[in-house]
Amino acid sequence: MSRRLRILTWHVHGNYLYNLTQVPHDFYLVTDAARSTHHGGRSGSLPWGDNVHEAPADRLQEMPIDVLLFQSRAEWEGDRQQLLSEAQRRLPCIYLEHDPPQEHPTATKHWVDNPEVLLVHVTPFNALMWDSGACPVRVIEHGVKPLVSARYTGARECGIVVVNNMARRGRRLGLDIYRDMAREVPLSLAGMGSEELQADRRSAARPGASATDRRSESRGEILGEVNQLRLPGLMAEHRFFFNPIRYTSLGLAVIEAMLVGLPIVGLATTELVTVIRNGENGFIDTRPDRLATAMKQLLADPAQARSMGEAARRTAEERFGIERFVAEWRRAIDSVTG
């Protein structure tokens, strides 16, 4: 890296952005007066570094910028045209795509489709599924810098699920699978909007509910949105991490749980199939009944859960270390700036 660069971007995924800002450049986050979606700047409880700054939207054209880093279609098609000068739009540009295609899993062409823009995918699965068009493509897998030091205890005879807005996002995020599994095993649910599913817990405690339903109700909780600095310690208390999501990128919450030392149980879909090895660091399958059996096994055998969680932690440290992530991002940025 020949010099420190000024990178303009948006606050799209907080935890990813925190890890990205470990790259030794200066990051300027676009803000507006309303702190609207993706324009929140240095918001939340994350310990932002001194290299993270705010960039008021109405002053962008006056600011010296070296690199543009887009992370969502709204900003690519809106802010790029409305807020930036013509000269700024010609700056070196990267588009960071966080998700697999959602309109059609194999026949969706990425909207950037520009040979002058580097398209970065966060998993090999995502890169495989997107038609990336004319864009040059790189895959930079997640890297995680733990927010706090937390280690697995598994003291709670209960699994934990971490999904934001599951009620609104439905089957793709595994709402039906979560509901079915919560009737089989005790599961705590954390995430924005999780309170919307409180009625599910009340129905489990209805008159005439089975003894299994009542035990699950007493051990699993709706936790609501959990502060990012508190979440690792909270996860560490649970016996395992359950990921009910059918179709998404490899979630950072999964990796963060692995780094704490939780075994992972989830659907054998998308990139998770390259991370979890059955019986070693977790269990994956496309049959929910087999996942329920695996979760019950971990609840009945704390020693096995701890051993598999230790294997999960080693996997995460080897594959998703922050040093590798920073090095790959530095090379990507150098490739567009020359």
Side-chain angles (χ1 to χ4, degrees):
M1 185 178 66
S2 58
R3 65 188 178 95
R4 194 176 181 93
L5 300 172
R6 296 159 296 197
I7 301 173
L8 184 72
T9 192
W10 286 257
H11 186 151
V12 175
H13 296 289
N15 282 39
Y16 188 99
L17 183 60
Y18 172 73
N19 292 312
L20 179 61
T21 58
Q22 305 311 306
V23 177
H25 290 300
D26 285 296
F27 291 82
Y28 290 82
L29 311 184
V30 179
T31 63
D32 59 22
R35 300 278 169 163
S36 61
T37 301
H38 299 173
H39 298 80
R42 290 170 53 104
S43 58
S45 58
L46 291 164
W48 302 109
D50 294 338
N51 66 327
V52 182
H53 317 276
E54 295 194 341
D58 57 0
R59 293 177 50 199
L60 291 185
Q61 295 189 20
E62 308 164 15
M63 296 180 59
I65 301 166
D66 298 308
V67 181
L68 303 173
L69 175 58
F70 293 93
Q71 301 185 59
S72 79
R73 188 171 187 172
E75 282 72 56
W76 171 257
E77 296 179 343
D79 284 8
R80 183 170 67 98
Q81 297 296 330
Q82 298 162 12
L83 302 181
L84 301 179
S85 68
E86 183 178 348
Q88 287 172 327
R89 290 195 291 272
R90 294 196 296 268
L91 288 169
C93 186
I94 299 173
Y95 190 103
L96 169 59
E97 178 53 68
H98 290 277
D99 297 306
Q102 295 183 25
E103 294 177 5
H104 188 284
T106 60
T108 301
K109 192 170 187 177
H110 203 279
W111 44 84
V112 174
D113 194 22
N114 185 329
E116 301 299 318
V117 179
L118 176 63
L119 180 57
V120 174
H121 292 293
V122 299
T123 70
F125 177 86
N126 291 8
L128 176 70
M129 304 309 282
W130 276 106
D131 176 352
S132 296
C135 294
V137 170
R138 284 197 186 207
V139 175
I140 301 179
E141 291 198 294
H142 291 310
V144 176
K145 179 182 179 181
L147 291 169
V148 296
S149 178
R151 278 291 178 266
Y152 179 78
T153 68
R156 295 191 63 179
E157 194 179 343
C158 181
I160 187 167
V161 177
V162 181
V163 179
N164 288 327
N165 301 309
M166 183 188 286
R168 175 168 55 83
R169 297 160 80 187
R171 280 179 54 85
R172 185 170 67 86
L173 274 292
L175 173 61
D176 58 318
I177 295 171
Y178 160 75
R179 283 173 164 160
D180 290 344
M181 294 299 98
R183 296 186 185 100
E184 294 280 333
V185 295
L187 293 171
S188 294
L189 174 64
M192 292 184 288
S194 57
E195 299 90 340
E196 297 174 34
L197 297 174
Q198 191 67 54
D200 290 18
R201 297 294 184 175
R202 287 195 294 270
S203 67
R206 67 191 183 281
S210 70
T212 298
D213 283 341
R214 288 194 294 273
R215 284 197 300 272
S216 294
E217 171 69 13
S218 67
R219 289 180 288 175
E221 304 176 59
I222 299 291
L223 301 170
E225 184 176 1
V226 178
N227 182 288
Q228 290 149 308
L229 299 178
R230 179 173 166 256
L231 184 58
L234 181 65
M235 289 195 295
E237 299 172 1
H238 288 76
R239 189 66 55 83
F240 59 84
F241 183 99
F242 176 51
N243 184 46
I245 300 175
R246 281 184 171 87
Y247 186 69
T248 188
S249 287
L250 181 63
L252 277 175
V254 174
I255 300 170
E256 290 162 356
M258 294 173 72
L259 285 169
V260 170
L262 275 78
I264 306 300
V265 180
L267 293 171
T269 60
T270 67
E271 196 64 36
L272 195 63
V273 300
T274 72
V275 177
I276 300 305
R277 297 179 293 276
N278 271 341
E280 182 179 333
N281 57 8
F283 293 99
I284 54 173
D285 206 296
T286 54
R287 291 161 288 193
D289 61 313
R290 294 201 173 188
L291 297 181
T293 298
M295 288 187 275
K296 291 173 183 177
Q297 181 177 331
L298 292 173
L299 292 174
D301 191 344
Q304 182 192 31
R306 180 176 291 277
S307 174
M308 293 175 66
E310 272 299 299
R313 184 180 61 79
R314 291 192 297 271
T315 299
E317 289 178 344
E318 292 166 5
R319 182 164 172 178
F320 303 112
I322 194 66
E323 293 82 6
R324 186 271 310 158
F325 178 76
V326 166
E328 291 190 14
W329 264 108
R330 289 178 69 170
R331 288 194 290 270
I333 293 166
D334 286 350
S335 75
V336 302
T337 60

